[in-house]
Amino acid sequence: MASKPHTGPLTGRCYCGAIGFEIDAAPQTAAYCHCTDCRRLTGAPVAAFAAFAAADVTYLDAATHLKMSDDVERWHCGRCGSALASWFSYLPDQIYVPLGVLDAAGSLAPTVHCHADSALPWLHIADDLPRVMGSAREVLHS
Ligand SMILES: [Zn+2]
Ligand SMILES: [Zn+2]
C-alpha cells in the first residue's frame, strides 16, 4: 500500500449518523469492485471495500439486514440507506465494509480491482494494481 497502514480501532458511520461503529482490528485487504451489483448498491461508478474477519465486525445488529440469496447478505442503515456491510458465501468468514463509511478511508488503499471486466468504459483509474476478471476470491481470501 502506498499510504500508511492504519493502526488502532477503525471508526465509521453512515451518512445520517444513526449508526456509528468501531472495528478493533486491521482490515485483511481492501479492493475495488466494478460489478454491477456493487454499482447499484452504492450508486457509485465503482465500489471499494475493506475486508475484515467476520468476528471483528460487531455492529451488524444495529443495521438493517437484507438477505438477497443464500450467497449474498447485506446490511444498511434503516434511516438513510448507507451500505454498511456485505457477506458472500464464497468468502464465508469475511465481512466487506464499504471504504466510504470508514473515517480512515484515506489510509486504506485498495490493492486489487475485482470484476475489472465490468468496469464502466469511461472510468479510468490510473494505478498499476492487478485487474482481476470475476470476483477475485482467491486474492481476497488468501
Ligand atoms: Zn444512516
Ligand atoms: Zn461487486
Side-chain angles (χ1 to χ4, degrees), residues 112-117 129-139:
V112 62
H113 291 267
C114 306
H115 289 283
D117 46 326
L129 299 177
R131 260 74 173 167
V132 178
M133 310 298 142
S135 69
R137 63 188 68 180
E138 301 79 9
V139 180

Side-chain angles (χ1 to χ4, degrees), residues 14-18 77 80:
C14 66
Y15 169 62
C16 79
C77 172
C80 73

Side-chain angles (χ1 to χ4, degrees), residues 59-138:
Y59 60 88
L60 298 182
D61 285 348
T64 299
H65 181 226
L66 178 65
K67 185 176 163 85
M68 284 300 295
S69 69
D70 287 343
D71 295 319
V72 180
E73 299 186 32
R74 313 274 193 182
W75 289 263
H76 61 272
C77 172
R79 181 164 180 255
C80 73
S82 285
L84 292 171
S86 299
W87 173 87
F88 308 96
S89 61
Y90 57 88
L91 301 163
D93 47 4
Q94 292 180 315
I95 294 286
Y96 283 76
V97 178
L99 283 182
V101 298
L102 292 167
D103 296 325
S107 63
L108 300 169
T111 58
V112 62
H113 291 267
C114 306
H115 289 283
D117 46 326
S118 298
L120 290 172
W122 45 258
L123 181 69
H124 302 292
I125 298 178
D127 63 39
D128 52 8
L129 299 177
R131 260 74 173 167
V132 178
M133 310 298 142
S135 69
R137 63 188 68 180
E138 301 79 9

Side-chain angles (χ1 to χ4, degrees), residues 33-35 37-38 49 115:
C33 189
H34 295 273
C35 85
D37 285 348
C38 287
F49 299 91
H115 289 283

